[in-house]
Amino acid sequence: MSQGFGGQIRRLFKSIRSLAGPGAPAPDPRIAEFFSQLDTTLPSSELRRQIHAFHDATHAAFNEGDQQFFYQGVIKRLPRLAENHNSLNWAYERLIQLPWARGDRVAAMALFDRYVDDYAPAYGELFDRSYRAAMIATQTRPITLQRRDRFQALVGLLQKVLPLQGLVAECGCYRGLSSYMICSYLRAADAGFDGGGYRIFDSFAGLSEPQPEDVVDMSMSGAKRLARMTKPGAFAASLPLVQQHLSDFPGIAYYPGWIPQAFPDEPEARYRFVHVDVDIYQPTRDCFEYFYPRLVPGGILLSDDYAWPGARRAIEEFCARTGVQLHTTACAQAYVIAG
Ligand SMILES: C[S@@+](CC[C@H](N)C(=O)[O-])C[C@H]1O[C@@H](n2cnc3c(N)ncnc32)[C@H](O)[C@@H]1O
């Protein structure tokens, strides 16, 4: 063990003991031993394998203090290399989950802030302020993985249409997180924005019945998680709850009901931006059919769900049939721009 690392381990012990309070038991000695033997110059795949092997073998026996000590150790120890980001994200996710599960949202958010300062890509003050406010308003667990990057791609596209005229809408809002984010950017562009001209379409009863197009290929990466989420009623949040979460924007117009029945019959309405996040085939298909002809020139129709098999199929079928060009982001979103 190097001198520097010995000091790091002692500091870790000290920090965990101070967090746990005086007289708290010392962390399980296997953790310090594991870190003393971990060679962080190993390729990231091997590092990940060793970290997970140790975690899987010990996790069930560890108390919260031990777990905290272990995840902090991973975070402190791993070099900030792109190859290690999956492992670092994983450790932060786990660390944040500990206070969140206890209902300590302030501590969870403080850890998320530390993650952002530590090595997350910098997206600017407006982004961080809006995302933080959105998580607090919608009581959403701060998670480190792709959601932050997806939202950055989302608001990046939204910013392109800000000079245009037209409505802005979201289909599929769940607890209101992405709507809060979109509305924050609309307010940043126009201090008087109170939600007017912003529409939300949702069943407020979760996903509708998945169709055969939505069956998940279980050989895909992440298939288990996707299959678990592809269920009628998943992501249900009631209208009053969402209205409460979005009360900073009282002018929002809500259209509760199943898509497409919830869409108003108003051929003259024009949109500059529509965010579609309904996950499955049928409502994604119906959103593209309904909104694309209602976009102003340069308007954007963005789906969050290019990684979901049914949504992907609906979008690809739409583009193949209409000849509209399909664009994608690095975060499995797909969008079209009206000509
Ligand atoms: C993944 S959640 C949306 C998450 C949200 N955009 C966010 O990022 O915070 C999917 C939403 O789609 C809605 N939904 C799914 N199928 C629907 C349908 N057929 N009609 C209306 N809403 C639907 C669900 O009620 C849920 O709110």
Side-chain angles (χ1 to χ4, degrees):
M1 190 199 301
S2 77
Q3 277 292 84
F5 183 53
Q8 233 179 48
I9 286 291
R10 276 190 296 282
R11 278 196 301 281
L12 270 172
F13 263 104
K14 221 172 132 192
S15 72
I16 188 86
R17 289 181 105 150
S18 68
L19 274 168
D28 189 301
R30 283 174 291 176
I31 304 174
E33 194 189 325
F34 169 75
F35 284 123
S36 72
Q37 287 165 6
L38 187 70
D39 174 2
T40 56
T41 62
L42 286 170
S44 66
S45 56
E46 178 54 22
L47 271 176
R48 192 162 57 238
R49 194 195 63 72
Q50 292 190 14
I51 288 167
H52 283 274
F54 178 77
H55 179 262
D56 294 350
T58 53
H59 178 72
F62 282 173
N63 61 31
E64 185 177 330
D66 293 332
Q67 291 174 24
Q68 191 177 359
F69 184 64
F70 175 67
Y71 302 132
Q72 283 177 334
V74 173
I75 290 164
K76 290 199 178 184
R77 195 85 174 99
L78 288 194
R80 271 41 184 167
L81 301 173
E83 310 86 271
N84 287 334
H85 279 189
N86 278 347
S87 299
L88 284 162
N89 277 337
W90 172 83
Y92 264 115
E93 289 271 313
R94 293 287 185 146
L95 193 60
I96 290 169
Q97 177 57 27
L98 296 174
W100 185 264
R102 266 190 276 112
D104 188 346
R105 297 201 164 128
V106 174
M109 197 55 84
L111 286 167
F112 178 79
D113 290 343
R114 220 171 80 192
Y115 153 76
V116 172
D117 288 345
D118 185 357
Y119 70 91
Y123 291 146
E125 191 273 330
L126 173 60
F127 181 89
D128 285 334
R129 179 163 40 85
S130 307
Y131 189 38
R132 208 171 188 285
M135 287 190 289
I136 290 168
T138 60
Q139 301 183 14
T140 301
R141 178 166 70 99
I143 55 169
T144 58
L145 293 170
Q146 295 137 355
R147 193 213 284 143
R148 187 171 176 274
D149 302 330
R150 274 192 294 122
F151 277 15
Q152 166 62 13
L154 160 63
V155 295
L157 289 168
L158 174 69
Q159 282 177 312
K160 288 186 195 298
V161 305
L162 288 177
L164 306 178
Q165 296 294 315
L167 297 161
V168 178
E170 177 166 75
C171 301
C173 65
Y174 187 32
R175 301 170 62 84
L177 184 71
S178 46
S179 270
Y180 196 104
M181 197 71 195
I182 294 170
C183 287
S184 297
Y185 271 70
L186 293 174
R187 182 168 286 168
D190 168 9
F193 175 76
D194 71 347
Y198 186 76
R199 296 177 161 188
I200 290 183
F201 299 90
D202 201 291
S203 65
F204 298 101
L207 262 59
S208 47
E209 190 71 46
Q211 304 297 306
E213 290 85 349
D214 296 303
V215 172
V216 177
D217 169 359
M218 294 311 284
S219 65
M220 273 169 42
S221 93
K224 263 197 192 152
R225 190 169 162 268
L226 215 51
R228 235 187 0 257
M229 294 189 294
T230 311
K231 295 271 160 34
F235 301 106
S238 72
L239 175 58
L241 183 77
V242 175
Q243 283 171 319
Q244 183 196 320
H245 289 172
L246 297 175
S247 58
D248 286 345
F249 307 101
I252 293 176
Y254 294 88
Y255 293 78
W258 296 109
I259 292 169
Q261 291 86 337
F263 292 151
D265 179 17
E266 43 174 28
E268 73 292 350
R270 287 293 173 269
Y271 294 78
R272 54 183 159 151
F273 189 82
V274 183
H275 185 228
V276 177
D277 191 2
V278 286
D279 301 343
I280 53 178
Y281 178 79
Q282 170 264 311
T284 302
R285 179 197 64 198
D286 294 339
C287 286
F288 273 69
E289 294 293 340
Y290 179 85
F291 285 106
Y292 186 77
R294 290 174 169 80
L295 290 179
V296 296
I300 294 178
L301 176 51
L302 165 69
S303 161
D304 191 58
D305 302 321
Y306 203 48
W308 291 66
R312 185 184 191 118
R313 180 158 171 186
I315 297 162
E316 288 178 348
E317 283 177 1
F318 174 83
C319 289
R321 189 176 57 72
T322 57
V324 171
Q325 192 184 349
L326 173 64
H327 304 267
T328 55
T329 74
C331 310
Q333 294 146 305
Y335 63 98
V336 292
I337 307 174

